[in-house]
Amino acid sequence: EFRLDLVGVAALLSRAMHYDSIAAVRDLLSFIDRSPTSFHAVLSCVSFLEELGFTALSERGHWELSAGDRRYVTRNDGSIVALVIGSESSVDAGFRVIGAHTDSPHPKVKPNGSLVKQGYRQLAVETYGGMLLSTWLDRDLSLAGRVVLENPAEPGGLRSVFVDLRRPLLRIPNLAIHLDRDVNSKGLVVNQQQHLPPVLGLSLGDPTDYRHLENLLSEHIKLEYGYGVEPAEILDWDLSLYDTQKATLAGDRDVFIQAARLDNLASCHAALSALSDSLREHATRAGTRMICFWDHEECGSRSMQGAMGPFIRQVIERIVDVLTPGDRQAFHRAIASSFLVSADMAHALHPNYFDRHEAGHQPKMGAGPVIKTNNNQSYASDGVSSARFAALCKAEGFEAQRYVVRSDLPCGSTIGPITSALLGIRSVDVGNPMLSMHSAREMAGTADHAKMIAVMRRFFGQDEVTRA
């Protein structure tokens, strides 16, 4: 009877853990749906952080910081750093950093976006990042991003508004098989210039057709913000197409997540959740906890708010300068005591293309986080940093999975090696396994998300992570 009671207790604990996992994933689904662009992802992060008591820092302002402070700073609306100042000097205790990125591959609208062709209103678009082009065809698409307007309160000034039209508005229609009989045998070839412009409406010969995008945005801003904006006041934009289908749980017993932008909003959400959990468990910690989510990773990180830019270095330098004034060696000593977990999604073994994986490195959905290694430094992981992350996984009750790309295939990269080279910080590249990476709609394992949160939470709870 005692044995049966233990079995019953174990079953109850297992179910409780499953429900906690599902709760975390449902919050992820909501986070993704609220974040159709990198700008909206940062807005979602700001809302999350402010509920935890974080307050904003201005890059133009003078920073005052002390132990226990919860602060965040954004750059160009698409990147964000949040930090919890540690109780000990950053020179001795260092920084615990989790990095990820806010952007995903998608079509972006060109500067002269209104396009009229063969009786249709369309948008002129270009590809952003390494898109799986065919997955964007025949989907109910909408439009979101940032619109730049004149600022009437400041002559020559600008103001930005964030828009999300939310409704099915656009479509990139496939060509009927009757007009391309070989498509199933020879494959679909999508020409980015010719085949990707989405259909928006019908042209009726109205002269305003050639400013139909400006007219659409003007009407939306009036409805959304309650003030009039004339089409001529719209100076420029950073606008993206996105799939309106909601993120969801799927599969037998809800074992899968199916959503847009899992790469890499799932990693952003895991880091935010881990930071929140660590604050409940450890309101103060010796080291400074930090998350940094960059824009522009999918196109190489070469921008003022990308990982190749100076954003994180400038933030850390300012923190060290405030907390250790006058010590010219303080920044370098702090970095030597710091550690970066670069979190980006990983390639799960595909049942229909299993030969595309290296035989000894085949990550599986449901088995937890993956350590990504490339000896040519496309990933920042090395023996020491990988061992440290593997130890965190083991402490949470599971073994870390490993991924190495086949030797005859090129390897992708992420923000890990860029940031490690920029700062000189020890780093490990990790991610949860997924399928359909860079598709308009991606797929991951439900159980993996809670495991990544748990490992990140344990990382934030450590006081010593750097000594080999």
Side-chain angles (χ1 to χ4, degrees), residues 31 34 41-57 70-74 79-84 268-269 271-276 279 289-293 460:
F31 178 76
R34 296 194 309 271
V42 168
L43 291 173
S44 297
C45 291
V46 167
S47 177
F48 184 96
L49 291 165
E50 288 184 345
E51 287 185 5
L52 295 175
F54 284 74
T55 57
L57 290 165
R70 303 179 183 186
R71 310 302 295 271
Y72 70 86
V73 58
T74 65
S79 297
I80 184 168
V81 173
L83 50 106
V84 182
C268 293
H269 182 268
L272 281 168
S273 301
L275 182 61
S276 174
L279 291 173
R289 287 163 280 184
M290 179 182 292
I291 56 175
C292 188
F293 303 156
F460 277 139

Side-chain angles (χ1 to χ4, degrees), residues 110-126:
K110 293 179 178 178
N112 293 323
S114 298
L115 180 65
V116 178
K117 188 168 59 175
Q118 302 300 324
Y120 292 94
R121 290 181 177 180
Q122 295 182 271
L123 294 184
V125 297
E126 65 176 320

Side-chain angles (χ1 to χ4, degrees), residues 13-248:
L13 288 173
S14 177
R15 280 197 291 272
M17 291 174 65
H18 173 73
Y19 292 138
D20 285 346
S21 174
I22 293 295
V25 170
R26 290 197 184 281
D27 194 60
L28 165 64
L29 304 184
S30 177
F31 178 76
I32 290 173
D33 289 339
R34 296 194 309 271
S35 308
T37 72
S38 57
F39 306 125
H40 292 84
V42 168
L43 291 173
S44 297
C45 291
V46 167
S47 177
F48 184 96
L49 291 165
E50 288 184 345
E51 287 185 5
L52 295 175
F54 284 74
T55 57
L57 290 165
S58 169
E59 289 198 273
R60 294 184 178 183
H62 180 77
W63 290 11
E64 297 286 346
L65 300 168
S66 58
D69 281 358
R70 303 179 183 186
R71 310 302 295 271
Y72 70 86
V73 58
T74 65
R75 174 168 288 186
N76 200 19
D77 301 322
S79 297
I80 184 168
V81 173
L83 50 106
V84 182
I85 300 296
S87 60
E88 294 185 11
S89 166
S90 56
V91 169
D92 300 315
F95 294 82
R96 311 287 175 267
V97 187
I98 298 177
H101 63 88
T102 58
D103 60 322
S104 301
H106 63 275
K108 291 182 75 78
V109 181
K110 293 179 178 178
N112 293 323
S114 298
L115 180 65
V116 178
K117 188 168 59 175
Q118 302 300 324
Y120 292 94
R121 290 181 177 180
Q122 295 182 271
L123 294 184
V125 297
E126 65 176 320
T127 58
Y128 174 86
M131 293 171 52
L132 272 173
L133 298 178
S134 64
T135 67
W136 286 84
L137 306 183
D138 294 340
R139 291 185 178 273
D140 296 337
L141 305 176
S142 194
L143 196 64
R146 178 174 65 179
V147 178
V148 183
L149 309 171
E150 294 178 350
N151 187 352
E154 180 184 341
L158 305 174
R159 56 181 171 141
S160 295
V161 296
F162 301 98
V163 299
D164 180 3
L165 276 67
R166 296 187 184 90
R167 67 187 190 276
L169 185 71
L170 301 158
R171 184 181 176 95
I172 306 172
N174 243 311
L175 182 64
I177 194 169
H178 313 77
L179 304 178
D180 187 6
R181 294 287 185 179
D182 296 328
V183 66
N184 289 332
S185 57
K186 295 184 178 179
L188 175 66
V189 177
V190 180
N191 181 282
Q192 298 179 27
Q193 176 69 21
Q194 183 179 352
H195 301 146
L196 280 189
V199 172
L200 174 64
L202 296 174
S203 173
L204 304 176
D206 190 322
T208 63
D209 279 351
Y210 292 92
R211 290 182 64 83
H212 61 73
L213 178 55
E214 289 88 338
N215 295 332
L216 179 69
L217 293 171
S218 173
E219 293 171 3
H220 175 79
I221 292 169
K222 289 175 184 176
L223 290 173
E224 185 76 11
Y225 290 95
Y227 55 79
V229 172
E230 296 302 317
E233 295 179 65
I234 297 175
L235 304 179
D236 215 324
W237 50 62
D238 299 287
L239 293 172
S240 302
L241 277 62
Y242 73 92
D243 186 3
T244 58
Q245 185 176 0
K246 298 294 186 182
T248 187

Side-chain angles (χ1 to χ4, degrees), residues 211-324:
R211 290 182 64 83
H212 61 73
L213 178 55
E214 289 88 338
N215 295 332
L216 179 69
L217 293 171
S218 173
E219 293 171 3
H220 175 79
I221 292 169
K222 289 175 184 176
L223 290 173
E224 185 76 11
Y225 290 95
Y227 55 79
V229 172
E230 296 302 317
E233 295 179 65
I234 297 175
L235 304 179
D236 215 324
W237 50 62
D238 299 287
L239 293 172
S240 302
L241 277 62
Y242 73 92
D243 186 3
T244 58
Q245 185 176 0
K246 298 294 186 182
T248 187
L249 295 173
D252 182 26
R253 302 186 183 183
D254 288 338
V255 294
F256 299 125
I257 305 168
Q258 294 179 177
R261 303 179 297 281
L262 283 169
D263 175 20
N264 192 30
L265 292 185
S267 299
C268 293
H269 182 268
L272 281 168
S273 301
L275 182 61
S276 174
D277 291 349
S278 78
L279 291 173
R280 285 197 298 269
E281 296 175 4
H282 310 286
T284 59
R285 212 65 185 159
T288 293
R289 287 163 280 184
M290 179 182 292
I291 56 175
C292 188
F293 303 156
W294 287 273
D295 199 357
H296 295 158
E297 188 274 345
E298 296 292 0
C299 61
S301 297
R302 300 181 307 276
S303 69
M304 63 181 284
Q305 68 264 37
M308 199 173 286
F311 188 28
I312 189 172
R313 183 183 184 95
Q314 290 172 343
V315 170
I316 293 177
E317 283 180 338
R318 291 181 76 164
I319 294 170
V320 173
D321 286 346
V322 170
L323 299 178
T324 320

